[in-house]
Amino acid sequence: MRKLTLALVLMLGIGQAVAQPIDRKEVVTRNNPHVTSMDKMASLSVGNGHFAFTVDGTGLQTFPEEYSTGVPLGTMSDWGWHSFGNSERYQVKEVLVERDFGRGRKEPYAGQFKEPGRQKDAESYFRANPHRLHLGTIGLDLEDMSEVKDVDQTLDLWKGKIDSKFTYKGQKYHVETVVDPTGSVVSSRINSDGEIAVKIRFPYPTGKHTDDGCDWNPQNDRLHSTEVVKGRGVLEVVHTFPLSFSYVTSYWMYLSWIGDAKVRIPTGQKHTIILKSKTGTLDFTCQFERNARPNIMIEPFAEHAIRAGQVWNNFWKEGGIVDFSHVKDSRAKELERRVILSNYLMMVNDAGNTPPQETGLTYNSWFGKFHLEMEWWHQAQFALWGRPTFVAKTLSWYYTVMEKAKEIAQRQGFGGVRWMKMTDPTGREAPSNVGSYLIWQQPHPIYLAELVYRTQVGRYVATKNENSMLSPEEVKERREMGNKILKAYDLLVEQTAQFMYSFATVDDIKKRFVLKGCIPAQETLKADSTVNPPFELSYWLWGLETAQKWRERMGKPRDEQWDLVIKNLSPLAYNEDSLYLAAESAPQTYKDIRFYSDHPAVLGAVGILPQNKLVNDDIMRKTLDWVWNNWNWDKTWGWDFPMVAMCAARLGEPQRAVDALLMDKRTNTYLVNGHNYQDDRLRCYLPGNGGLLTAIAMMCAGWDGSTGKNPGFPADWDVRWEGLLPLP
């Protein structure tokens, strides 16, 4: 049977004309980050989506305290979580607050409390626990960061390797660092003209909202233990939290090395290990494990580096790629840098078995928990860039927490499953006076499942011209693949849509369905007064329509109740100036800054989503103009700029789409390492990186119904690309 690669199918189907294949290695490596000083905002990471290791200018985690206020030096995994002991026996029911949103019943929500007392303590406990663990810092045993000179550090994106050269008090160092593509393994080779000493430290967790997760206070040394067991060629270290109720109560690190080196534990530092070599070369590997691994065999640096290089080579060769070198606009070079580095960072931080937190595996934000309303921004780009297997991992996780999502819906009187906002691998809902009332995370599983279906089946297979692209055998094969995907996610789509149907409330006076009793994506609005936020209305329509398509693909009849909502859902509300409101209940949108701060989510109604019957393009275009000229841009977030770009692109304004992606605002800053800087608290913000990649894919490959080459870019932008998928 004739085989076509996914990239070729997409290229042929979309009609992308490429005179010759893009030199992918050239595009990637010309954007390798280069660091020349001990810059705490220029930390570099290596990782595999499940585990990541972030280093300072020495190529290891030599100065974690100094970097803690920059881009911290994390050693984090998707399995490493911890909870402090629940000695007070707090229960989730203690944080529930009954609300009346006019649906004829009281609805319990997990809330926060101002007044001191048991409820406040319980809420604080459930927000902070579990929290993600920093597994341990691994650095050179150097004392004074100011003595580090002549830094020459490069992240080789093509190989997934950090190469670092520097001097310390006249001694030269050359450090190479990689993470193995499987497991939680970091390996390094150090060359020097003097002695080499590596310091490994195991911190106590902080459980704080935003930090590196390292509590070095000696007073807490007694709350955890570090036991060293000398094995045969491997040193086994067990780090345990005996007084804690933990997702992980103990974890293991296995250390092996090549070279004339010895291990010692410094006096009075029982959570510290020093590996010291008198030779000029030290090759060592640290492997972290959730469970003990008897008789473990650990390979040397060279083997890990080879495997890492192979995986990263394949990553860049097999997914999508965009080349901006033929664009004359001087800003194109910076846009390409952001795109390439964002691809790398999303793979390192977001390609695990659970949804990622907003700061990924770099450091903790919101206690290390992840936010399901951000899932679209994290994950959609993987599908659009030809990497749907990473999306499939997250969709599988949704099934593991479905019962808890069903419990939330049931206690509030709804059908189906209500997806939580802020959560952890167990799916427990974190109390919040905002997150508990958000609803825009609800349709995300439908959208992501649809993207996976499109990447595997190809959006053109079901068209009249399918045989001009694919042979009958290939059409059959892809339809079989599609059927497998439909079966895999049928329950997920069905239960998600069932909640959406039951959440829509009948307005008997105007004979329509409304959305109320929620906080929209623009979080400056309140749950008790918000009716019909525009983005959520469009998303409800699109989500239910797509769920109906899934039923039809599965050979099921359309759900008549869902069709009733689809037919009678409220249109977007606008004012006398023909500008869409932040919500139907917010007529003061353009007079009160509270309503034009935070996310300009009204623009998500067209952009993230396709045009629909609820939206008038002319009114949306006027709204885009007003937002562009008047929005409180100092109070925005990183994904707002790609959201604006996607709206502009669908409305036929490609120049504005480009300008949105490159808008000179603090929250649209991209550091030398590619991280989307927000403020002093969020120095990393991966939804911004993911949003950028989604917008670029859309602007290149287009969307259903778009025409022409690169429909989201101006005609004079000669952007060349391969392997991208259009948006719905």
Side-chain angles (χ1 to χ4, degrees), residues 9 27 34 90 127 129 132 150 175 189 197 203 258 267 272 366 381 411 418 438 449 519 597 607 617 620 715 718:
V9 169
V27 173
H34 186 217
Y90 299 120
R127 280 180 64 80
N129 294 283
R132 198 181 301 261
D150 307 317
V175 181
R189 176 186 288 157
I258 297 175
T267 303
T272 300
W366 286 275
Q381 54 83 25
R411 81 171 186 233
R418 180 169 191 169
L438 292 180
I519 293 178
S597 294
D617 282 1
M620 185 58 76
D718 184 9

Side-chain angles (χ1 to χ4, degrees), residues 80-124:
W81 291 77
H82 168 268
S83 290
F84 294 123
N86 186 4
S87 60
E88 298 298 320
R89 298 185 179 181
Y90 299 120
Q91 299 182 54
V92 173
K93 66 182 181 181
E94 296 181 72
V95 302
L96 297 181
V97 179
E98 290 190 334
R99 302 295 301 274
D100 186 349
F101 291 120
R103 285 187 271 256
R105 62 180 184 273
K106 297 292 181 65
E107 301 170 19
Y109 288 80
Q112 293 175 270
F113 304 88
K114 294 182 179 180
E115 297 299 322
R118 184 172 175 86
Q119 276 189 312
K120 175 65 177 174
D121 295 341
E123 164 244 303
S124 298

Side-chain angles (χ1 to χ4, degrees), residues 58 61 63 86 127 130 138 141 193 252 263 272 277 331 333 354 399 401 427 504 525 565 578 586 595 626 642 667 679:
T58 69
Q61 299 166 333
F63 299 101
N86 186 4
R127 280 180 64 80
I138 305 169
D141 189 15
D193 54 4
W252 282 253
V263 171
T272 300
S277 171
R331 300 174 298 169
K333 184 177 181 180
T354 63
Y399 276 113
V401 300
L525 280 68
V565 176
S578 292
F595 294 99
W626 194 97
T667 51
D679 53 29

Side-chain angles (χ1 to χ4, degrees), residues 580-583 586-596 626 631:
Y580 280 125
L581 301 175
Q588 66 274 48
T589 293
Y590 300 98
K591 300 175 183 177
D592 184 343
I593 195 170
R594 178 166 68 95
F595 294 99
Y596 56 92
W626 194 97
W631 199 261

Side-chain angles (χ1 to χ4, degrees), residues 401-409 418 420 426-428:
V401 300
M402 183 173 280
E403 285 304 312
K404 291 187 178 179
K406 185 177 294 185
E407 290 172 6
I408 296 173
R418 180 169 191 169
M420 55 291 291
T426 69
R428 186 168 64 192

Side-chain angles (χ1 to χ4, degrees), residues 684-717:
C684 304
Y685 190 63
L686 291 163
N689 298 94
L692 171 67
L693 295 178
T694 299
I696 291 295
M698 173 200 188
M699 291 162 68
C700 288
W703 52 93
D704 292 352
S706 65
T707 59
K709 177 183 176 182
N710 300 334
F713 283 101
D716 60 346
W717 273 60

Side-chain angles (χ1 to χ4, degrees), residues 160-213:
K161 183 177 75 171
I162 300 171
D163 189 285
S164 310
K165 298 176 182 177
F166 64 95
T167 60
Y168 182 80
K169 294 184 178 181
Q171 181 176 339
K172 295 180 180 180
Y173 288 86
H174 180 198
V175 181
E176 299 171 272
T177 307
V178 299
V179 159
D180 194 89
T182 61
S184 303
V185 183
V186 58
S187 189
S188 184
R189 176 186 288 157
I190 307 170
N191 287 285
S192 181
D193 54 4
E195 290 186 343
I196 301 169
V198 174
K199 180 190 289 187
I200 304 171
R201 294 193 291 167
F202 296 90
Y204 190 67
T206 65
K208 290 185 178 180
H209 183 282
T210 305
D211 70 351
D212 61 359

Side-chain angles (χ1 to χ4, degrees), residues 235-253:
L235 193 76
E236 177 182 311
V237 182
V238 188
H239 192 207
T240 302
F241 310 99
L243 302 179
S244 302
F245 176 76
S246 303
Y247 188 84
V248 172
T249 55
S250 297
Y251 63 91
W252 282 253
M253 187 200 76

